[in-house]
Amino acid sequence: MAKEKKSPGQFSIDPAAQQMLIRAESLGIGTAFTRAEAMPACNIGSAGMCCKMCGMGPCRLTKDGSVGVCGATIDTIQARNFVRMVAAGSAAHSDHGRDMAFLLKAVAEGEAEGYSIRDVAKLRMAAAKSGVPIEKRSPTEIANDLADVYIAQFGQQRGELIPIRRAPEKRQKLWREKGVVPRGVDRETVEALHRTHIGDDQDPVHLLQHAVRTALADGWGGSMIATDVADIVFGTPAPVVGQANLGTLKADMVNVVIHGHEPILSEMIVAASQTPEIIEYAKAAGANGVNLAGICCTANEILMRQGVPAAGNFLHQELAILTGAVEAMVVDVQCIMQALVGLAENFHTKVITTSAKVKLKGATHMEFDEHHAMTIAKDILKVAIDNFKNRGTVEIPQVVEDLVPGFSHEYINYMLGGSYRASFRPLNDAIMSGRIRGVAAIVGCNNPRSQQDYLHTHVTRERLKQDVLVVETGCGAIASAKLGLLLGEAGLDQCGAGLREICETVGIPPVLHMGSCVDNTRILTVLTQMVEEGGLGDDIDQIPAVGLAPEWMSEKALAIGTYCVASGAYVIFGGSSPLEGMPDKVSGSADVLSYISEGWEALYGGKLEFIEDPDKMVVATLEHIDKKRAALGLPEWKADKFGRSGDKRMNELEALPLEAKFEAVYGSVN
Ligand code: NFS
């Protein structure tokens, strides 16, 4: 029987996406949603049972006990595949970090046109933690030395990566004992490729140990450097008001969508778009100026620092072009679909590649160089403006939501205690009293194999009801933004009473947008600061916290998941597992899937699990949080214990007629 065609509502819960999918169908244009539908998932490959590491294969191990041509077992093959995915994800984040380190060097040497050091406090903090002297030195001198230290982290051959010193003492000791402290970012990635080559490392447990070391080189290395430098050069985020979804595109303006990951170019395009030269140029072309909007993690970078709207998350990249209102889609690296070029041919949109590392056949290439950033940014915008006259029919969904992003760990620290008493004490106390049951980090991608944004927002809403404070990054954060969960009042009515009290008192939304995917390192820092504050144990694995990537699809997500596990977190991935293995498997010593759960938990206190059912994900999260609360000797969480004070009570009183209000406050007068 033919498979029933999915409706737009089954593809995405986002009304803007649904409208664009109807338009795509009427125009006869395919998207990732329809391609995923038409492409049957390969059960063998998706479960990690296929080895194509050499020319004797591919070997497909579908029967219990079968081995590859070289004799490789299913456990070895799965472990190798997993290590390679983690290595690719770590390489992507870390190469981004390398470019940021080079940018810092160019800024310090005065060779980066248009950039400067915006956050001297962050520069001094990062330098002090990296052993760079800061007293009586100018920001430029400090930045110059810090850039050298950071650049050296990539090619370092021996010793330990410097940023791992930011982890709790006990965690660092554990990593040393287990032999997983990364030596150099590039070294771990190269070794991962070496070990997984035909005829090398074949012990699944030994292989997976190197997945941990490689991922740690990302989380406590490349990604942490990326976040540090972005904050130093572009400013550490603090809350701003922004907007999200396709309704941020403007019919009367030149729309330039910036898509990808590195903030180096996008920040300069934002600056260039505000120059009189570009505004005049756009007006001369008959437009009301240039309107910028972001997609994917670039969106997060410019949204949280500049308040530039987010047009959407990963699955919105094609949908933005489908509006017919995008003059140029400017891309750099990562998460860029090859389909964009073919799709753009149906409209007037120019796809412009800018990275020396990424070209798309058929796209316009305008290579970016930080030494002449402003000049190139203006050139790119002029190409978009020149294209305004070629616009055809436009359909922009009038769907847009407000949000407040920009919760860096520095800001969370400040907001909890103010300038003079900046501290995580109030957060720890709220967890200890049970007003906040625990913390969940909900991160990661969209995946067209599941309904866009549903899993993200479902698990987020369920956490809030249970008094779990949520922090988000990446495409997960944009999903919540589009669904209106990142604006204080909007999220508050969905919270449990205890969490609501805290959010009202501190004045924060219950879902905190902490940035892009490389900014998951901010979450590591928050967890470390919670440990250092005291009262929640002496290492990350004791905190009642979990991490979730409900709609993951990229290798970067697996790298993030692995470094979070090695840092002590329980991490749950949604969708299918790349390690499912053979359904009828009965033998085998290591069993990779259970090893990364129970095996890693015994070693690191954190574990990685794949849970498809969203409700089971919720149950697993809460059970874990409660288990950690009990281990710390904290009171059991109770739904009705709090919430009789604060704004909730005020609101209830406000709703009463005058006499009843008087009686409620002063008691009966009779
Ligand atoms: Ni993260 Fe960002 Fe989105 Fe996934 Fe891609 S944009 S780095 S990988 S899809 S969250």
Short mmCIF file of all heavy atoms in Angstrom, two decimals, residues 59-120:
data_model
loop_
_atom_site.label_atom_id
_atom_site.label_comp_id
_atom_site.label_asym_id
_atom_site.label_seq_id
_atom_site.Cartn_x
_atom_site.Cartn_y
_atom_site.Cartn_z
N CYS A 59 30.86 -3.54 4.42
CA CYS A 59 30.41 -4.75 5.10
C CYS A 59 29.17 -4.42 5.91
O CYS A 59 29.19 -3.50 6.72
CB CYS A 59 31.52 -5.25 6.03
SG CYS A 59 33.01 -5.72 5.13
N ARG A 60 28.12 -5.18 5.67
CA ARG A 60 26.87 -4.93 6.38
C ARG A 60 26.62 -6.10 7.31
O ARG A 60 26.40 -7.23 6.86
CB ARG A 60 25.73 -4.75 5.38
CG ARG A 60 26.07 -3.64 4.38
CD ARG A 60 24.94 -3.23 3.54
NE ARG A 60 24.27 -4.36 2.91
CZ ARG A 60 23.04 -4.30 2.41
NH1 ARG A 60 22.36 -3.18 2.49
NH2 ARG A 60 22.50 -5.33 1.83
N LEU A 61 26.67 -5.82 8.59
CA LEU A 61 26.56 -6.91 9.57
C LEU A 61 25.12 -6.97 10.10
O LEU A 61 24.75 -6.24 10.99
CB LEU A 61 27.53 -6.66 10.75
CG LEU A 61 28.95 -7.19 10.56
CD1 LEU A 61 29.59 -6.66 9.30
CD2 LEU A 61 29.80 -6.86 11.76
N THR A 62 24.34 -7.83 9.51
CA THR A 62 22.93 -7.85 9.87
C THR A 62 22.53 -9.07 10.69
O THR A 62 21.41 -9.14 11.18
CB THR A 62 22.06 -7.83 8.60
OG1 THR A 62 22.50 -8.88 7.76
CG2 THR A 62 22.19 -6.51 7.87
N LYS A 63 23.44 -10.02 10.82
CA LYS A 63 23.09 -11.23 11.59
C LYS A 63 23.97 -11.34 12.81
O LYS A 63 25.16 -11.02 12.76
CB LYS A 63 23.31 -12.47 10.72
CG LYS A 63 22.31 -12.60 9.60
CD LYS A 63 22.14 -14.07 9.21
CE LYS A 63 21.03 -14.25 8.20
NZ LYS A 63 21.22 -13.39 7.01
N ASP A 64 23.39 -11.82 13.89
CA ASP A 64 24.17 -11.97 15.12
C ASP A 64 25.39 -12.85 14.87
O ASP A 64 25.28 -13.92 14.27
CB ASP A 64 23.29 -12.59 16.21
CG ASP A 64 24.01 -12.57 17.55
OD1 ASP A 64 24.86 -11.68 17.73
OD2 ASP A 64 23.73 -13.44 18.37
N GLY A 65 26.53 -12.37 15.29
CA GLY A 65 27.76 -13.16 15.15
C GLY A 65 28.50 -12.92 13.85
O GLY A 65 29.63 -13.34 13.70
N SER A 66 27.87 -12.24 12.87
CA SER A 66 28.57 -12.03 11.61
C SER A 66 29.65 -10.96 11.79
O SER A 66 29.55 -10.10 12.66
CB SER A 66 27.60 -11.65 10.50
OG SER A 66 26.94 -10.46 10.81
N VAL A 67 30.70 -11.06 10.98
CA VAL A 67 31.80 -10.10 11.07
C VAL A 67 32.12 -9.57 9.67
O VAL A 67 31.72 -10.16 8.66
CB VAL A 67 33.08 -10.74 11.69
CG1 VAL A 67 32.85 -11.15 13.12
CG2 VAL A 67 33.58 -11.91 10.85
N GLY A 68 32.87 -8.46 9.61
CA GLY A 68 33.27 -7.89 8.32
C GLY A 68 34.36 -8.72 7.67
O GLY A 68 34.87 -9.68 8.26
N VAL A 69 34.75 -8.32 6.45
CA VAL A 69 35.78 -9.07 5.72
C VAL A 69 37.07 -9.15 6.54
O VAL A 69 37.74 -10.18 6.58
CB VAL A 69 36.05 -8.41 4.34
CG1 VAL A 69 37.21 -9.10 3.62
CG2 VAL A 69 34.80 -8.45 3.47
N CYS A 70 37.42 -8.09 7.24
CA CYS A 70 38.65 -8.10 8.06
C CYS A 70 38.44 -8.78 9.39
O CYS A 70 39.37 -8.92 10.19
CB CYS A 70 39.14 -6.67 8.28
SG CYS A 70 38.10 -5.73 9.40
N GLY A 71 37.21 -9.18 9.70
CA GLY A 71 36.92 -9.81 10.98
C GLY A 71 36.32 -8.87 12.00
O GLY A 71 36.05 -9.26 13.14
N ALA A 72 36.11 -7.60 11.61
CA ALA A 72 35.59 -6.62 12.58
C ALA A 72 34.19 -7.02 13.06
O ALA A 72 33.34 -7.39 12.25
CB ALA A 72 35.54 -5.23 11.95
N THR A 73 33.98 -6.93 14.37
CA THR A 73 32.68 -7.26 14.94
C THR A 73 31.76 -6.04 14.91
O THR A 73 32.22 -4.92 14.70
CB THR A 73 32.82 -7.69 16.41
OG1 THR A 73 33.36 -6.58 17.13
CG2 THR A 73 33.75 -8.89 16.55
N ILE A 74 30.48 -6.29 15.17
CA ILE A 74 29.52 -5.19 15.18
C ILE A 74 29.90 -4.12 16.21
O ILE A 74 29.78 -2.92 15.96
CB ILE A 74 28.08 -5.72 15.44
CG1 ILE A 74 27.04 -4.60 15.40
CG2 ILE A 74 27.96 -6.47 16.76
CD1 ILE A 74 26.71 -4.13 14.05
N ASP A 75 30.41 -4.53 17.37
CA ASP A 75 30.78 -3.56 18.40
C ASP A 75 31.92 -2.66 17.94
O ASP A 75 31.91 -1.45 18.16
CB ASP A 75 31.18 -4.27 19.71
CG ASP A 75 30.00 -5.03 20.30
OD1 ASP A 75 28.87 -4.56 20.11
OD2 ASP A 75 30.22 -6.07 20.94
N THR A 76 32.90 -3.27 17.29
CA THR A 76 34.03 -2.48 16.78
C THR A 76 33.55 -1.50 15.72
O THR A 76 33.91 -0.32 15.71
CB THR A 76 35.11 -3.42 16.19
OG1 THR A 76 35.58 -4.24 17.25
CG2 THR A 76 36.26 -2.65 15.59
N ILE A 77 32.72 -2.00 14.82
CA ILE A 77 32.24 -1.14 13.73
C ILE A 77 31.43 0.03 14.28
O ILE A 77 31.62 1.19 13.89
CB ILE A 77 31.43 -1.98 12.72
CG1 ILE A 77 32.40 -2.87 11.93
CG2 ILE A 77 30.60 -1.11 11.79
CD1 ILE A 77 31.73 -3.90 11.04
N GLN A 78 30.56 -0.26 15.23
CA GLN A 78 29.75 0.83 15.79
C GLN A 78 30.61 1.84 16.55
O GLN A 78 30.41 3.04 16.44
CB GLN A 78 28.70 0.26 16.74
CG GLN A 78 27.59 -0.45 15.97
CD GLN A 78 26.49 -0.91 16.88
OE1 GLN A 78 26.72 -1.17 18.06
NE2 GLN A 78 25.31 -1.02 16.34
N ALA A 79 31.56 1.32 17.31
CA ALA A 79 32.43 2.23 18.06
C ALA A 79 33.24 3.08 17.09
O ALA A 79 33.38 4.29 17.28
CB ALA A 79 33.36 1.43 18.98
N ARG A 80 33.75 2.48 16.02
CA ARG A 80 34.53 3.25 15.04
C ARG A 80 33.68 4.34 14.39
O ARG A 80 34.10 5.48 14.25
CB ARG A 80 35.08 2.32 13.95
CG ARG A 80 36.33 1.59 14.36
CD ARG A 80 37.13 1.10 13.17
NE ARG A 80 36.41 0.21 12.29
CZ ARG A 80 36.92 -0.94 11.83
NH1 ARG A 80 38.13 -1.33 12.18
NH2 ARG A 80 36.23 -1.68 10.99
N ASN A 81 32.47 3.94 13.98
CA ASN A 81 31.58 4.93 13.36
C ASN A 81 31.30 6.08 14.32
O ASN A 81 31.29 7.25 13.93
CB ASN A 81 30.25 4.28 12.94
CG ASN A 81 30.42 3.34 11.75
OD1 ASN A 81 31.39 3.43 11.00
ND2 ASN A 81 29.48 2.43 11.57
N PHE A 82 31.08 5.74 15.57
CA PHE A 82 30.76 6.76 16.56
C PHE A 82 31.95 7.71 16.77
O PHE A 82 31.80 8.93 16.78
CB PHE A 82 30.37 6.08 17.89
CG PHE A 82 29.90 7.04 18.94
CD1 PHE A 82 28.61 7.55 18.91
CD2 PHE A 82 30.75 7.46 19.96
CE1 PHE A 82 28.18 8.45 19.87
CE2 PHE A 82 30.32 8.35 20.92
CZ PHE A 82 29.04 8.84 20.88
N VAL A 83 33.15 7.13 16.89
CA VAL A 83 34.35 7.96 17.09
C VAL A 83 34.51 8.92 15.92
O VAL A 83 34.81 10.10 16.10
CB VAL A 83 35.62 7.08 17.24
CG1 VAL A 83 36.87 7.93 17.24
CG2 VAL A 83 35.55 6.26 18.52
N ARG A 84 34.28 8.42 14.70
CA ARG A 84 34.44 9.30 13.53
C ARG A 84 33.43 10.43 13.53
O ARG A 84 33.74 11.55 13.14
CB ARG A 84 34.32 8.49 12.24
CG ARG A 84 35.57 7.71 11.96
CD ARG A 84 35.84 7.58 10.49
NE ARG A 84 37.20 7.09 10.32
CZ ARG A 84 37.76 6.82 9.15
NH1 ARG A 84 37.06 6.97 8.05
NH2 ARG A 84 38.99 6.41 9.07
N MET A 85 32.20 10.13 13.95
CA MET A 85 31.20 11.20 14.00
C MET A 85 31.59 12.26 15.04
O MET A 85 31.50 13.46 14.80
CB MET A 85 29.81 10.62 14.33
CG MET A 85 29.24 9.80 13.18
SD MET A 85 27.70 8.97 13.64
CE MET A 85 26.49 10.17 13.14
N VAL A 86 32.03 11.80 16.18
CA VAL A 86 32.45 12.73 17.24
C VAL A 86 33.64 13.56 16.75
O VAL A 86 33.72 14.78 16.97
CB VAL A 86 32.79 11.97 18.54
CG1 VAL A 86 33.51 12.87 19.53
CG2 VAL A 86 31.52 11.41 19.17
N ALA A 87 34.57 12.91 16.03
CA ALA A 87 35.75 13.63 15.54
C ALA A 87 35.34 14.70 14.52
O ALA A 87 35.85 15.83 14.55
CB ALA A 87 36.74 12.65 14.92
N ALA A 88 34.40 14.36 13.64
CA ALA A 88 33.96 15.35 12.64
C ALA A 88 33.26 16.52 13.32
O ALA A 88 33.48 17.69 12.98
CB ALA A 88 33.03 14.68 11.62
N GLY A 89 32.42 16.21 14.29
CA GLY A 89 31.71 17.28 15.01
C GLY A 89 32.69 18.17 15.77
O GLY A 89 32.60 19.40 15.71
N SER A 90 33.65 17.54 16.44
CA SER A 90 34.64 18.31 17.20
C SER A 90 35.48 19.16 16.25
O SER A 90 35.82 20.31 16.56
CB SER A 90 35.59 17.37 17.97
OG SER A 90 34.86 16.58 18.87
N ALA A 91 35.83 18.60 15.10
CA ALA A 91 36.65 19.33 14.13
C ALA A 91 35.92 20.58 13.65
O ALA A 91 36.51 21.66 13.52
CB ALA A 91 37.00 18.43 12.95
N ALA A 92 34.61 20.45 13.39
CA ALA A 92 33.84 21.59 12.89
C ALA A 92 33.82 22.72 13.92
O ALA A 92 34.16 23.87 13.62
CB ALA A 92 32.41 21.15 12.55
N HIS A 93 33.46 22.39 15.16
CA HIS A 93 33.44 23.42 16.21
C HIS A 93 34.82 24.02 16.41
O HIS A 93 34.99 25.22 16.57
CB HIS A 93 33.03 22.80 17.55
CG HIS A 93 31.57 22.61 17.71
ND1 HIS A 93 31.04 21.64 18.53
CD2 HIS A 93 30.52 23.28 17.21
CE1 HIS A 93 29.73 21.71 18.50
NE2 HIS A 93 29.38 22.69 17.70
N SER A 94 35.82 23.14 16.45
CA SER A 94 37.15 23.60 16.83
C SER A 94 37.81 24.41 15.73
O SER A 94 38.56 25.35 16.00
CB SER A 94 38.03 22.41 17.23
OG SER A 94 37.47 21.79 18.37
N ASP A 95 37.53 24.07 14.48
CA ASP A 95 38.08 24.87 13.39
C ASP A 95 37.48 26.28 13.42
O ASP A 95 38.15 27.26 13.09
CB ASP A 95 37.77 24.18 12.05
CG ASP A 95 38.86 24.42 11.04
OD1 ASP A 95 40.02 24.66 11.45
OD2 ASP A 95 38.56 24.40 9.83
N HIS A 96 36.22 26.35 13.80
CA HIS A 96 35.58 27.64 14.04
C HIS A 96 36.35 28.37 15.14
O HIS A 96 36.68 29.56 15.02
CB HIS A 96 34.11 27.35 14.41
CG HIS A 96 33.31 28.47 15.00
ND1 HIS A 96 31.96 28.37 15.19
CD2 HIS A 96 33.64 29.68 15.48
CE1 HIS A 96 31.49 29.48 15.74
NE2 HIS A 96 32.50 30.29 15.92
N GLY A 97 36.68 27.65 16.23
CA GLY A 97 37.44 28.25 17.33
C GLY A 97 38.80 28.74 16.86
O GLY A 97 39.26 29.80 17.27
N ARG A 98 39.43 27.97 15.98
CA ARG A 98 40.75 28.37 15.46
C ARG A 98 40.64 29.71 14.71
O ARG A 98 41.45 30.62 14.89
CB ARG A 98 41.27 27.29 14.50
CG ARG A 98 42.66 27.56 13.94
CD ARG A 98 42.94 26.74 12.67
NE ARG A 98 42.37 25.41 12.68
CZ ARG A 98 42.98 24.32 13.15
NH1 ARG A 98 44.20 24.40 13.62
NH2 ARG A 98 42.37 23.15 13.12
N ASP A 99 39.61 29.82 13.86
CA ASP A 99 39.43 31.07 13.11
C ASP A 99 39.21 32.25 14.06
O ASP A 99 39.67 33.37 13.81
CB ASP A 99 38.25 30.95 12.13
CG ASP A 99 38.63 30.11 10.92
OD1 ASP A 99 39.85 29.89 10.71
OD2 ASP A 99 37.73 29.67 10.19
N MET A 100 38.50 31.99 15.15
CA MET A 100 38.28 33.07 16.12
C MET A 100 39.60 33.46 16.78
O MET A 100 39.86 34.64 17.02
CB MET A 100 37.27 32.63 17.19
CG MET A 100 35.88 32.30 16.66
SD MET A 100 35.07 33.65 15.80
CE MET A 100 34.85 34.82 17.11
N ALA A 101 40.44 32.46 17.07
CA ALA A 101 41.75 32.77 17.69
C ALA A 101 42.60 33.61 16.73
O ALA A 101 43.27 34.56 17.14
CB ALA A 101 42.46 31.47 18.06
N PHE A 102 42.56 33.27 15.45
CA PHE A 102 43.30 34.07 14.46
C PHE A 102 42.72 35.49 14.37
O PHE A 102 43.45 36.46 14.18
CB PHE A 102 43.28 33.40 13.08
CG PHE A 102 44.28 32.27 12.96
CD1 PHE A 102 43.89 31.03 12.47
CD2 PHE A 102 45.61 32.45 13.33
CE1 PHE A 102 44.80 29.98 12.36
CE2 PHE A 102 46.53 31.41 13.23
CZ PHE A 102 46.13 30.17 12.74
N LEU A 103 41.42 35.60 14.51
CA LEU A 103 40.80 36.94 14.49
C LEU A 103 41.34 37.76 15.67
O LEU A 103 41.71 38.93 15.50
CB LEU A 103 39.27 36.84 14.57
CG LEU A 103 38.55 38.18 14.74
CD1 LEU A 103 38.66 39.03 13.48
CD2 LEU A 103 37.08 37.99 15.10
N LEU A 104 41.40 37.14 16.85
CA LEU A 104 41.89 37.87 18.03
C LEU A 104 43.32 38.35 17.79
O LEU A 104 43.67 39.47 18.14
CB LEU A 104 41.82 36.95 19.27
CG LEU A 104 42.19 37.61 20.60
CD1 LEU A 104 41.22 38.73 20.95
CD2 LEU A 104 42.21 36.58 21.73
N LYS A 105 44.12 37.50 17.16
CA LYS A 105 45.50 37.88 16.86
C LYS A 105 45.53 39.09 15.91
O LYS A 105 46.26 40.05 16.14
CB LYS A 105 46.22 36.68 16.22
CG LYS A 105 47.69 36.90 15.96
CD LYS A 105 48.51 36.87 17.24
CE LYS A 105 49.98 37.18 16.98
NZ LYS A 105 50.73 37.38 18.23
N ALA A 106 44.70 39.03 14.87
CA ALA A 106 44.68 40.13 13.90
C ALA A 106 44.19 41.42 14.56
O ALA A 106 44.72 42.50 14.28
CB ALA A 106 43.77 39.75 12.72
N VAL A 107 43.21 41.31 15.46
CA VAL A 107 42.72 42.50 16.16
C VAL A 107 43.84 43.08 17.02
O VAL A 107 44.10 44.29 17.01
CB VAL A 107 41.48 42.16 17.05
CG1 VAL A 107 41.10 43.35 17.93
CG2 VAL A 107 40.30 41.74 16.19
N ALA A 108 44.54 42.19 17.76
CA ALA A 108 45.62 42.66 18.64
C ALA A 108 46.73 43.32 17.83
O ALA A 108 47.38 44.26 18.29
CB ALA A 108 46.18 41.48 19.43
N GLU A 109 46.96 42.86 16.62
CA GLU A 109 48.03 43.44 15.80
C GLU A 109 47.55 44.63 14.98
O GLU A 109 48.28 45.17 14.16
CB GLU A 109 48.62 42.35 14.88
CG GLU A 109 49.43 41.33 15.67
CD GLU A 109 49.99 40.22 14.82
OE1 GLU A 109 49.44 39.98 13.71
OE2 GLU A 109 50.96 39.57 15.25
N GLY A 110 46.27 44.99 15.17
CA GLY A 110 45.72 46.16 14.46
C GLY A 110 45.53 45.91 12.98
O GLY A 110 45.53 46.82 12.17
N GLU A 111 45.35 44.64 12.62
CA GLU A 111 45.24 44.32 11.19
C GLU A 111 43.84 43.86 10.78
O GLU A 111 43.66 43.36 9.68
CB GLU A 111 46.24 43.21 10.84
CG GLU A 111 47.67 43.71 10.85
CD GLU A 111 48.65 42.59 10.55
OE1 GLU A 111 48.20 41.44 10.37
OE2 GLU A 111 49.85 42.89 10.49
N ALA A 112 42.88 43.98 11.69
CA ALA A 112 41.53 43.51 11.37
C ALA A 112 40.60 44.72 11.20
O ALA A 112 40.13 45.30 12.18
CB ALA A 112 41.01 42.58 12.46
N GLU A 113 40.38 45.06 9.97
CA GLU A 113 39.60 46.27 9.63
C GLU A 113 38.21 46.23 10.28
O GLU A 113 37.45 45.29 10.06
CB GLU A 113 39.45 46.33 8.10
CG GLU A 113 38.66 47.50 7.59
CD GLU A 113 38.26 47.32 6.11
OE1 GLU A 113 38.71 46.38 5.44
OE2 GLU A 113 37.45 48.14 5.65
N GLY A 114 37.93 47.23 11.09
CA GLY A 114 36.58 47.36 11.64
C GLY A 114 36.34 46.63 12.96
O GLY A 114 35.31 46.82 13.59
N TYR A 115 37.27 45.79 13.42
CA TYR A 115 37.04 45.06 14.68
C TYR A 115 37.85 45.71 15.81
O TYR A 115 38.89 46.32 15.57
CB TYR A 115 37.50 43.60 14.56
CG TYR A 115 36.79 42.79 13.51
CD1 TYR A 115 37.41 42.54 12.29
CD2 TYR A 115 35.53 42.29 13.73
CE1 TYR A 115 36.77 41.79 11.32
CE2 TYR A 115 34.88 41.53 12.77
CZ TYR A 115 35.51 41.28 11.57
OH TYR A 115 34.88 40.55 10.62
N SER A 116 37.37 45.51 17.03
CA SER A 116 38.12 46.01 18.18
C SER A 116 37.87 45.08 19.36
O SER A 116 37.11 44.12 19.24
CB SER A 116 37.66 47.43 18.52
OG SER A 116 36.28 47.39 18.82
N ILE A 117 38.47 45.41 20.49
CA ILE A 117 38.20 44.60 21.69
C ILE A 117 37.05 45.26 22.43
O ILE A 117 37.18 46.39 22.92
CB ILE A 117 39.46 44.51 22.57
CG1 ILE A 117 40.52 43.70 21.82
CG2 ILE A 117 39.14 43.85 23.91
CD1 ILE A 117 41.88 43.78 22.40
N ARG A 118 35.92 44.58 22.49
CA ARG A 118 34.73 45.20 23.08
C ARG A 118 34.57 44.87 24.56
O ARG A 118 33.99 45.63 25.29
CB ARG A 118 33.47 44.72 22.36
CG ARG A 118 33.33 45.27 20.96
CD ARG A 118 31.95 45.92 20.78
NE ARG A 118 31.77 46.26 19.38
CZ ARG A 118 30.92 45.64 18.58
NH1 ARG A 118 30.14 44.69 19.04
NH2 ARG A 118 30.83 46.00 17.32
N ASP A 119 35.03 43.68 24.97
CA ASP A 119 34.82 43.31 26.37
C ASP A 119 36.17 43.06 27.05
O ASP A 119 36.70 41.94 27.03
CB ASP A 119 33.92 42.07 26.46
CG ASP A 119 33.49 41.82 27.90
OD1 ASP A 119 34.17 42.31 28.82
OD2 ASP A 119 32.47 41.13 28.11
N VAL A 120 36.69 44.12 27.65
CA VAL A 120 38.01 44.03 28.28
C VAL A 120 37.95 43.14 29.53
O VAL A 120 38.88 42.40 29.82
CB VAL A 120 38.54 45.44 28.62
CG1 VAL A 120 39.86 45.37 29.37
CG2 VAL A 120 38.71 46.25 27.34
#
